[in-house]
Amino acid sequence: MRPTRIDREKVETRLAAGHWSRDTMVGRYAAYARDFPDGIACRDREIGLTWRRLHEVTDRIAANLIARGIPRDGRALVQIPSSTRETVLRIAFKKAGVLGCFAPMQWRRRELDHTFERIDPSAVFVALDSMDDDGRRTWLEGTGVGRSTKTLRVALASELPPDGWSSWSDLVAPPEGGDGRDRIAERRFRFDEVSLITASSGTSSLAKLNEWPEAAQICIGRGIAGRLGMREDDIVGMFAPMSGAAGVLAWTMTGALPFACVFPPTFEARALLRLVEDARITVATTVPVVLARLAREDLGSFDLSSLRALRVGTGAAGLEAARRIEDLTDCRVVVASGAMECPGFGHADVDEPVALRLDGSTGLPLPGCRLRIDDDGGAELPAGEVGHVRVSAPFAALGYWNDPEATRAVWSDGWYATGDMGVLDGDGRLTLLGRSREVVNRSGHKVLPIEVEREIARHPDVFQCAVVAVPDAEYGEVPWAFVQARDGRTIDTEGLAEVLRSGGLATYKIPARFVELVEFPRVGGNKIDKKRLLDMVLAA
């Protein structure tokens, strides 16, 4: 389908500027199958595919989807663990002209029902073996999928699928009535068409569904690959789910270079480190919580000599974990910031010196991206002033699927309001200071949670922390801190408050209360769910 927030003139402008090209992921993968037929494209514990075999399998699945009546621009809702099969589906969908929407495994009935209603899928792909007993399976077999007789249901399961469902083997079999490749050529997406729906993991409401043109995916992949110094012979560890930003953005780099993607069976830290050893992984992508867990391990007991770069989003405890990894290995940690709506508005470069790369900022924006910091009234602020982050980029999503009101709320004149507070230095490097809605207004004094979180994270007993605004009868709002101790440690909350005072933190920024947690609630298995933390406070 054509994007809803860009016209032909803007498309030509992006082409002329060199930000967009007429390349597509399908075209790039076909070239890899021709030029590197026996090179490994992707593998996991069960399946390994060369570029030639990947081309053949995705052709078959695309032809089967077309033969089963999935319309051009039809949608597919997918909830499966990150694996080689996910790569296969992403390319097969693009060949068949089907928009895939990949849901995190942590989503339950509420999130799935919302997304199903929003996109009205023609096909649903699920891993029944991985579903918890929480009603999702009943939903899929009954009220959810049953609303439409046209919905194809595909089960990735070790046992035979339920009645009325198709299996993975059904889709990879030769399609009836010929191979169907002639139909693929007319169905696959053009460079300027929306070819993917991504789900942003907001903490205050149900996920927003973003429209992603094919050219934007190629553009962001090329930009990230440049900042990481990627090579054709790289072996990339996908240490984050591809349903989230960290994973899918790493995957878009395959539109630039034919490196191999390796999917771990689990995101447990020791298993990831063993996979680096066994697969000789050279570059990996992950999220802050996994980075922190990796840094807690005895890194010297693993052979990590192959790993030269680790890409990770920002987090309060991330810098200390990053510095520890760099001190104990030859790996360089590359921090990045962004949103599913617009990634890459800050991204360090692997070749920058560590003092610059891990200076607390998220680096410079990727090529073609423009940043500005606005005051509360929308006026642009100079470098060094704290304000609201707005961004415009050729690799941004082009709006929310089937939701013009939500689109208008955050996009204006080509600029996306990220909802972040931040500051630009004189060189244009961005430092994020927290979400706008999370700023604590303590009797007129503004407290940026990330500033307090970074001070708390320096304490040697603290593994993770989060600061939220809590209603207060006297001050209006006060900050509360939630903390998780490192393994084998305990948190002395009174002592922690004193450490913050002695460290020079202003009195009004000291949390009014510290709450110790065994584990943080998370959105999509990654971001700390601050809304649930506040709900815990209010329910107490």
Side-chain angles (χ1 to χ4, degrees):
M1 63 166 273
R2 295 295 180 185
T4 58
R5 205 178 54 81
I6 189 171
D7 57 25
R8 194 69 216 171
E9 181 180 354
K10 291 179 180 177
V11 169
E12 294 299 330
T13 298
R14 292 183 176 185
L15 285 170
H19 300 312
W20 279 19
S21 73
R22 298 181 185 274
D23 287 339
T24 64
M25 296 291 282
V26 168
R28 296 293 294 164
Y29 273 46
Y32 300 157
R34 181 190 66 238
D35 298 337
F36 310 97
D38 299 321
I40 296 297
C42 50
R43 68 180 181 87
D44 55 31
R45 183 168 54 183
E46 299 178 356
I47 303 172
L49 295 176
T50 63
W51 288 109
R52 175 168 47 200
R53 181 58 180 158
L54 179 60
H55 184 60
E56 295 168 351
V57 170
T58 51
D59 268 2
R60 285 189 177 183
I61 292 178
N64 271 309
L65 292 174
I66 296 169
R68 290 167 184 253
I70 306 301
R72 177 62 152 78
D73 292 327
R75 276 77 64 195
L77 178 59
V78 182
Q79 190 183 48
I80 64 175
S82 289
S83 63
T84 291
R85 284 177 172 174
E86 184 170 347
T87 296
V88 169
L89 284 179
R90 287 179 180 274
I91 294 300
F93 289 161
K94 291 174 182 288
K95 289 183 174 182
V98 175
L99 290 94
C101 179
F102 292 79
M105 289 302 296
Q106 293 82 5
W107 276 14
R108 297 299 183 257
R109 289 187 57 177
R110 180 168 177 261
E111 294 87 356
L112 290 170
D113 191 56
H114 166 79
T115 304
F116 190 98
E117 291 283 355
R118 180 71 67 183
I119 69 172
D120 188 23
S122 300
V124 175
F125 291 73
V126 295
L128 294 179
D129 289 353
S130 301
M131 283 190 165
D132 299 327
D133 186 17
D134 63 356
R136 279 182 292 170
R137 189 162 178 164
T138 302
W139 174 83
L140 285 166
E141 296 188 22
T143 57
V145 176
R147 282 195 296 268
S148 173
T149 57
K150 297 180 180 179
T151 303
L152 171 68
R153 294 178 289 178
V154 181
L156 279 65
S158 56
E159 73 270 12
L160 291 175
D163 290 341
W165 290 67
S166 295
S167 69
W168 180 262
S169 59
D170 292 334
L171 288 187
V172 299
E176 297 180 3
D179 66 13
R181 294 187 182 186
D182 56 328
R183 291 171 288 180
I184 292 174
E186 65 187 37
R187 290 270 303 233
R188 63 189 186 188
F189 289 117
R190 286 170 42 89
F191 78 94
D192 56 351
E193 291 184 298
V194 173
S195 64
L196 178 66
I197 300 172
T198 61
S200 58
S201 56
T203 59
S204 60
S205 63
L206 292 167
K208 299 292 195 302
L209 305 174
N210 306 281
E211 297 180 2
W212 271 74
E214 189 73 5
Q217 297 166 57
I218 294 284
C219 181
I220 186 66
R222 189 172 61 240
I224 296 174
R227 292 291 168 91
L228 290 176
M230 296 293 294
R231 304 189 297 250
E232 290 182 355
D233 61 349
D234 272 322
I235 301 172
V236 177
M238 305 296 283
F239 294 173
M242 281 215 297
S243 57
V248 73
L249 293 178
W251 175 75
T252 63
M253 293 192 300
T254 60
L257 292 165
F259 55 79
C261 291
V262 178
F263 296 90
T266 173
F267 296 116
E268 187 269 327
R270 293 186 65 82
L272 297 179
L273 294 171
R274 284 194 295 270
L275 187 59
V276 172
E277 280 188 324
D278 296 340
R280 306 307 295 161
I281 286 171
T282 59
V283 177
T285 181
T286 193
V287 293
V289 63
V290 175
L291 181 79
R293 290 170 180 164
L294 291 172
R296 292 160 61 187
E297 296 295 331
D298 180 9
L299 300 176
S301 64
F302 298 89
D303 179 6
L304 307 179
S305 58
S306 63
L307 188 65
R308 74 169 192 276
L310 179 61
R311 181 183 185 272
V312 66
T314 54
L319 287 179
E320 293 304 315
R323 292 183 182 118
R324 172 174 165 78
I325 289 173
E326 292 220 359
D327 287 344
L328 298 176
T329 73
D330 292 327
C331 173
R332 297 183 180 186
V333 179
V334 179
V335 299
S337 64
M340 190 66 90
E341 291 86 344
C342 184
F345 52 72
H347 204 298
D349 191 295
V350 70
D351 290 328
E352 292 173 333
V354 64
L356 183 62
R357 188 164 27 84
L358 299 181
D359 65 352
S361 77
T362 64
L364 295 168
L366 290 176
C369 179
R370 295 180 294 157
L371 280 176
R372 57 183 288 174
I373 306 296
D374 288 355
D375 64 17
D376 291 343
E380 187 171 2
L381 293 169
E385 295 289 327
V386 175
H388 303 273
V389 179
R390 299 183 70 193
V391 58
S392 177
F395 44 74
L398 290 181
Y400 294 127
W401 176 268
N402 198 25
D403 198 343
E405 183 178 347
T407 299
R408 286 191 296 270
V410 294
W411 270 283
S412 177
D413 297 326
W415 290 88
Y416 168 65
T418 70
D420 294 300
M421 301 295 290
V423 60
L424 292 172
D425 68 14
D427 295 323
R429 298 179 73 86
L430 173 68
T431 297
L432 292 177
L433 299 172
R435 301 290 289 170
S436 302
R437 63 175 178 267
E438 294 174 358
V439 173
V440 185
N441 187 347
R442 185 171 186 167
S443 191
H445 294 288
K446 300 296 178 64
V447 181
L448 295 170
I450 195 168
E451 178 187 6
V452 183
E453 290 167 355
R454 284 175 175 164
E455 292 302 314
I456 294 173
R458 296 178 187 276
H459 196 282
D461 293 335
V462 173
F463 172 56
Q464 291 270 277
C465 61
V467 172
V468 301
V470 175
D472 183 82
E474 183 176 0
Y475 295 102
E477 289 181 334
V478 293
W480 279 29
F482 293 81
V483 294
Q484 178 184 351
R486 296 185 183 275
D487 291 343
R489 308 280 184 89
T490 58
I491 302 293
D492 175 5
T493 56
E494 291 186 7
L496 184 54
E498 183 55 38
V499 167
L500 296 179
R501 291 190 188 93
S502 62
L505 197 66
T507 301
Y508 69 87
K509 297 179 182 179
I510 304 294
R513 183 173 174 182
F514 292 84
V515 180
E516 187 171 356
L517 298 178
V518 175
E519 191 73 36
F520 276 99
R522 296 187 180 275
V523 178
N526 175 13
K527 298 178 183 177
I528 292 175
D529 191 341
K530 290 191 174 183
K531 183 177 183 298
R532 284 182 60 189
L533 292 178
L534 181 58
D535 289 344
M536 290 164 52
V537 173
L538 299 179

